[in-house]
């Protein structure tokens, strides 16, 4: 019995000694997305998977933050406990990302913020994404040109307070303020979701708003607005534009149902964030911020993005 007890004790100590240690030389990265039900974020995840397969020596653990900063912080703390080499986070809230940064910095683990810029980017944190204000400016210019500087506009926004929601909306207004006969007369959140975008547009239609265009902070909400307008036989009277150039949006454009969108590169952002996190784990130098450009997509060039 004593020999058995001693053997079990030695075995237990060996197991404990191996916990959190990597003897296979592989890089381990924890990636917390703000929502798995967001189409664009899943394209970024696919790009990260492809890049990880290409690199060959990296394992990525994915979690769904469910648009809840408390859940996401808990996931980051679990990544730290698991001894991840670096982390990637698409934050559910830019302001609340400070608690995530603090936890990562305290643990000495580098963190790469993806797609949504946090309010602060302290030492040891990095960012990969696009200039969100530019996307809104591209939308505003396209709609202003198509309407020849005249008409009321409604903006369906993403989640309130997020960097991309605020800056995309501000970008639209940056352009429209230079057109005295244009104005944003309605603003309402659709929380990035197609069904909520549809509900918002339905409410505006029911209210009798005389809108010449609906600009959405992403494609899913734009497609919801298209569905609402089509159900009311009003689509031919209202321009609709989104952001992301998702396959669904391009299919709508092919069928003449969506007027325009803005290409946000999920491959560039997803693969780019993984490379930054990978290089940080390898102790290689990286840029503090990596910017991926936006591009206008119209019925004239949409085939280039299929």
């Amino acid at each position: 019995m004593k020999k058995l007890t001693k053997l079990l004790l030695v075995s237990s100590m060996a197991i404990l000694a191996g916990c959190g240690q990597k003897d296979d030389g592989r890089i381990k990265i924890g990636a917390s997305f703000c929502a798995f039900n967001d189409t664009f974020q899943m394209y970024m995840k696919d790009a990260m998977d492809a890049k990880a397969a290409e690199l060959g020596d990296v394992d990525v653990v994915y979690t769904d933050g469910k648009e809840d900063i408390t859940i996401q912080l808990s996931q980051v703390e679990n990544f730290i406990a698991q001894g991840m080499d670096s982390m990637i986070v698409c934050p559910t809230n830019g302001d609340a990302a400070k608690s995530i940064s603090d936890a990562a910095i305290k643990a000495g683990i580098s963190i790469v913020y993806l797609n949504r810029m946090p309010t602060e980017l302290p030492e040891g944190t990095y960012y990969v994404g696009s200039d969100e204000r530019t996307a809104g400016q591209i939308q505003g210019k396209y709609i202003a040109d198509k309407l020849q500087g005249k008409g009321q506009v409604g903006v369906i926004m993403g989640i309130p307070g997020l960097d991309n929601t605020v800056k995309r909306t501000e970008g639209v207004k940056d352009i429209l303020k230079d057109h005295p006969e244009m104005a944003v007369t309605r603003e309402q959140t659709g929380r990035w979701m197609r069904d909520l975008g549809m509900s918002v547009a339905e409410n505006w239609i029911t209210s009798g708003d005389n809108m010449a265009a609906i600009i959405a902070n992403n494609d899913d909400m734009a497609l919801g607005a298209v569905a609402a307008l089509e159900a009311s036989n009003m689509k031919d009277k209202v321009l609709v534009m989104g952001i992301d150039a998702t396959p669904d949006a391009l299919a709508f454009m092919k069928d003449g149902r969506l007027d325009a969108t803005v290409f946000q590169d999920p491959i560039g952002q997803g693969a780019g964030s993984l490379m930054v996190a990978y290089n940080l784990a390898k102790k290689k130098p990286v840029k503090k911020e990596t910017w991926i450009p936006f591009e206008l997509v119209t019925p004239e060039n949409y085939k280039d993005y299929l």
Side-chain angles (χ1 to χ4, degrees), residues 132-133 135-137 139 155-158 162-176 184 186-188 192 215-217 243:
E132 304 294 352
R133 185 181 292 271
Q137 291 171 341
Q139 288 182 307
V155 177
I156 305 180
M157 302 181 297
L162 291 181
D163 177 74
N164 44 5
T165 297
V166 173
K167 290 184 178 177
R168 291 178 186 184
T169 304
E170 289 177 347
V172 172
K173 294 177 180 179
D174 287 344
I175 302 300
L176 298 192
V184 174
R186 282 277 200 166
E187 294 178 51
Q188 191 171 336
W192 308 118
I215 296 176
N217 284 167
I243 292 175

Side-chain angles (χ1 to χ4, degrees), residues 47-222:
M48 291 166 66
D49 282 335
K51 178 57 69 173
E54 178 186 322
L55 292 169
D57 64 342
V58 58
D59 297 314
V60 187
V61 176
Y62 299 101
T63 59
D64 181 0
K66 301 183 181 299
E67 294 291 1
D68 186 321
I69 190 62
T70 303
I71 292 174
Q72 195 164 55
L73 177 58
S74 176
Q75 291 168 350
V76 167
E77 290 172 341
N78 285 337
F79 288 156
I80 293 170
Q82 292 166 20
M84 295 295 176
D85 295 298
S86 58
M87 296 182 285
I88 299 170
V89 174
C90 182
T92 63
N93 185 300
D95 293 332
K98 184 179 184 305
S99 57
I100 291 176
S101 295
D102 289 345
I105 292 168
K106 183 178 180 180
I109 301 176
S110 297
I111 187 166
V112 182
Y113 286 107
L114 169 62
N115 186 249
R116 297 180 178 182
M117 173 73 90
T119 305
E120 299 179 32
L121 205 62
E123 188 68 27
T125 66
Y126 302 81
Y127 177 71
V128 176
S130 301
D131 184 349
E132 304 294 352
R133 185 181 292 271
T134 298
Q137 291 171 341
I138 291 172
Q139 288 182 307
K141 186 178 187 309
Y142 182 82
I143 293 298
D145 289 346
K146 294 293 285 187
L147 294 178
Q148 298 181 334
K150 299 179 182 180
Q152 297 181 3
V153 177
V155 177
I156 305 180
M157 302 181 297
I159 294 176
L162 291 181
D163 177 74
N164 44 5
T165 297
V166 173
K167 290 184 178 177
R168 291 178 186 184
T169 304
E170 289 177 347
V172 172
K173 294 177 180 179
D174 287 344
I175 302 300
L176 298 192
K177 70 183 180 183
D178 294 329
H179 297 274
E181 295 184 66
M182 295 189 75
V184 174
T185 56
R186 282 277 200 166
E187 294 178 51
Q188 191 171 336
T189 179
R191 301 188 67 83
W192 308 118
M193 299 180 188
R194 189 179 304 193
D195 57 344
L196 293 183
M198 183 175 180
S199 295
V200 169
E202 286 172 342
N203 290 336
W204 292 350
I205 293 168
T206 302
S207 299
D209 292 329
N210 183 27
M211 290 183 184
I214 293 177
I215 296 176
N217 284 167
N218 80 341
D219 280 340
D220 276 349
M221 295 186 298

